[in-house]
Structure formats: C-alpha cells, structure tokens
Amino acid sequence: MARTLRWLGCWLGVLLLLTACGGKSGSTTPKGFQEFRDTDERFSVLYADNWTFQPGPDAGVKLSDPSDPSYQLTVTVGPVPRSLGATAIDLNPDLLALMKQKPQKGLPIPSIDRGVLVEKVTPNSAAGKGGLQVGDVITGVDSQPALDSFAVQIAVGKHKAGETMAFTVHRGSTNQTLKILAPKLEVLSVKQFNRTALGQQIGISLAEGDTKKTVVEQRNASEKTDKKQRIYYTYELVIATEGRARHVMVSVVVDQGFLYTMIAGCSDDTWPAHAEKIKTMTGSFQLLPAA
C-alpha cells in the first residue's frame, strides 16, 4: 500500500510539473489557444496551441508557428515615443575627454562627466519653451536621477501631455531646475496615424524592404479603454514591398512611461486562413493587472 501511494505521488508530481511548465489553458481560454503571461506579469496574450515562443526584441516575446515563421506574434516594450524638441547625447568620461581634445563650435564643454548633454534645441518646442539650452546637462527629472537618454524618456513618458515636469540641469558650474511641459505622443493617435513613424517601423521590421519602396495601407483603426483607463490603439496594416506583402494587426498601449506594441500577422496570401485567429490574439492582448 505504501509503495502504491509513493508511486501515485511521483506521478502526481510529474503531472503538476508538466502543467506548471506549459502554457495556461482554462475554461475561459478559447479552444485552440493558450495564454502567454510575461514572466514579470506585465502583459498577457493568447497564442495558437502549436506555436513556440522565445524571448523577443526589446524586453518582449516572439511567438510563431514552427511550420510557417511568417505567421507570428511579437510583443515589444520600450519608452514612449515623445519628442521634447531637443537633440542630446549620453555624456561619459570618455566623451568629455574627447570634447576637450576636439572642442565643437557652439557646444560648451561640460564641467561634469555624467548626464544627458543637450546638443540642439528646436525653437518653440517643449524643451525650448521650458528654457533648455545647448550645453545643458540633464541629470534628473522630477527629483529622480536621469543620467542617460533612456531614463529621461521613461520619466517623460510617465506624464500626460501638458503636465509640468521638473528637469534638473547642470549649466556652467551650477544646477538649475527647469519647468518643462510634457509633449504630446508622436504616434498613438488613430486619427493622426503617421506612416513615417509606426507604419514605416513595422514595414522595416516585418517586410525588410527599402522604406522608399514600402507601401503601408492602414485599415480598420479603432481604440478601446480598459478598466484602468489605459487606451489600446489597434490598426490593421497591409505592408507591400518588391512583390511581397504582409498583413498584420497592431495593438499599442502606454503604461507607466512604457510603450507596449503587439504585432500579429502573416503573409498576405495566407491572411484569409489565419485572419480570425490573428484577430482573436490581437483582441486578447492586455496589460496586467487587467482590473
């Protein structure tokens, strides 16, 4: 009897292990799909039963059909695409040493060696109106350190358009605080879809064609708001280049200074066969917690 119980216990342990390692599937999961949840519990999305997954670009994931690599879904995570109207470069000791050896006309040599060095400011931009100047070194935003461009982008992305941001800059030999208004998003508008921004980025990454020869057609743009008031913008795109075409659906959403982009699609030839599944996967994409 004891041996039988041990045998059953071993098999139960194996079954529990297999269940834990596989994709999540339950009563609420549509037939033919499994749920993928990001290991950091940032987002979830449905994917086809037979698909494989691997770490994707930009801290995301890539899921694909092993028999048809063009039939795939990717989720990427990155800073919110906003422009302050300033060109800057990450400052470090090596760059500072080079600047001292070869000074650039019109660009003051900083007195510190860490931060984000402003090289150009566009007049009437958020940065220009806020008083940012060429030669300033950004070291913080909203009383938090921001010593590289990525940190600045994340800090800016946490604000709604028009909100006041406090930039700490090193100018000359002193620190100053500048009040700069957060700019509008560059691409997340259904009514103002910019082909040269999101559309062309998708064209390059999926079609791998010359952007001058890439044609992007947008269809069925829509948006929805979840229980946490996060807005999901969804587009259907057909991307054609040099005789090839891809048909994809894109869903983008902003949260806590990060832009989440989900792209699911296949070749245009196989779209009729896969369209319903791709629409189901796109509709399932959500940030966590969902409520």
Side-chain angles (χ1 to χ4, degrees), residues 46-48 51-52 54 57 61-66 68-75 205-206 208 246-249 262-267 270-271 274 278 281-282:
L46 295 179
Y47 67 98
W51 281 19
T52 58
Q54 63 190 69
V61 67
K62 178 180 179 181
L63 302 146
S64 61
D65 185 338
D68 180 8
S70 70
Y71 183 25
Q72 62 176 246
L73 178 155
T74 62
V75 178
S205 62
L206 295 182
E208 297 181 352
R246 284 188 57 77
H247 203 136
V248 303
M249 292 194 70
M262 189 232 67
I263 304 172
C266 58
S267 66
T270 60
W271 174 260
H274 300 315
I278 290 173
M281 290 186 282
T282 303

Side-chain angles (χ1 to χ4, degrees), residues 48-283:
D49 268 338
N50 64 325
W51 281 19
T52 58
F53 65 89
Q54 63 190 69
D58 299 326
V61 67
K62 178 180 179 181
L63 302 146
S64 61
D65 185 338
S67 63
D68 180 8
S70 70
Y71 183 25
Q72 62 176 246
L73 178 155
T74 62
V75 178
T76 59
V77 184
V80 176
R82 292 186 178 188
S83 175
L84 289 171
T87 303
I89 187 172
D90 292 346
L91 182 64
N92 57 54
D94 291 337
L95 178 60
L96 180 60
L98 182 61
M99 291 179 67
K100 290 179 178 179
Q101 291 177 8
K102 299 180 179 180
Q104 296 183 38
K105 185 178 180 180
L107 183 61
I109 296 177
S111 57
I112 58 175
D113 61 9
R114 293 288 181 184
V116 182
L117 175 63
V118 179
E119 296 181 302
K120 182 180 179 181
V121 178
T122 302
N124 297 319
S125 65
K129 293 178 179 178
L132 199 64
Q133 297 180 9
V134 172
D136 284 349
V137 180
I138 301 169
T139 59
V141 180
D142 298 329
S143 301
Q144 298 296 319
L147 298 176
D148 57 50
S149 301
F150 185 80
V152 173
Q153 285 181 303
I154 296 302
V156 172
K158 292 180 179 179
H159 286 271
K160 295 180 180 179
E163 289 185 344
T164 300
M165 305 175 293
F167 271 61
T168 302
V169 301
H170 191 84
R171 181 179 296 170
S173 59
T174 62
N175 289 323
Q176 299 186 28
T177 300
L178 303 178
K179 301 297 184 180
I180 298 177
L181 299 182
K184 295 180 180 180
L185 298 176
E186 289 182 343
V187 296
L188 299 181
S189 170
V190 170
K191 295 180 180 179
Q192 298 178 350
F193 181 79
N194 188 338
R195 221 177 250 191
T196 62
L198 181 60
Q200 286 294 351
Q201 289 170 14
I202 295 169
I204 295 169
S205 62
L206 295 182
E208 297 181 352
D210 182 348
T211 56
K212 294 180 180 179
K213 300 177 182 178
T214 300
V215 178
V216 181
E217 178 187 349
Q218 179 201 359
R219 302 174 182 173
N220 303 322
S222 64
E223 60 185 73
K224 66 178 181 179
T225 304
D226 67 11
K227 293 181 179 180
K228 287 188 171 291
Q229 300 305 305
R230 296 173 296 208
I231 303 175
Y232 295 74
Y233 300 90
T234 302
Y235 313 96
E236 186 177 329
L237 301 174
V238 179
I239 307 147
T241 178
E242 297 183 346
R244 296 179 299 167
R246 284 188 57 77
H247 203 136
V248 303
M249 292 194 70
V250 182
S251 182
V252 290
V253 59
V254 171
D255 187 49
Q256 296 297 310
F258 287 92
L259 172 68
Y260 295 78
T261 304
M262 189 232 67
I263 304 172
C266 58
S267 66
D268 195 46
D269 292 340
T270 60
W271 174 260
H274 300 315
E276 289 306 313
K277 277 196 171 184
I278 290 173
K279 291 176 181 178
T280 298
M281 290 186 282
T282 303

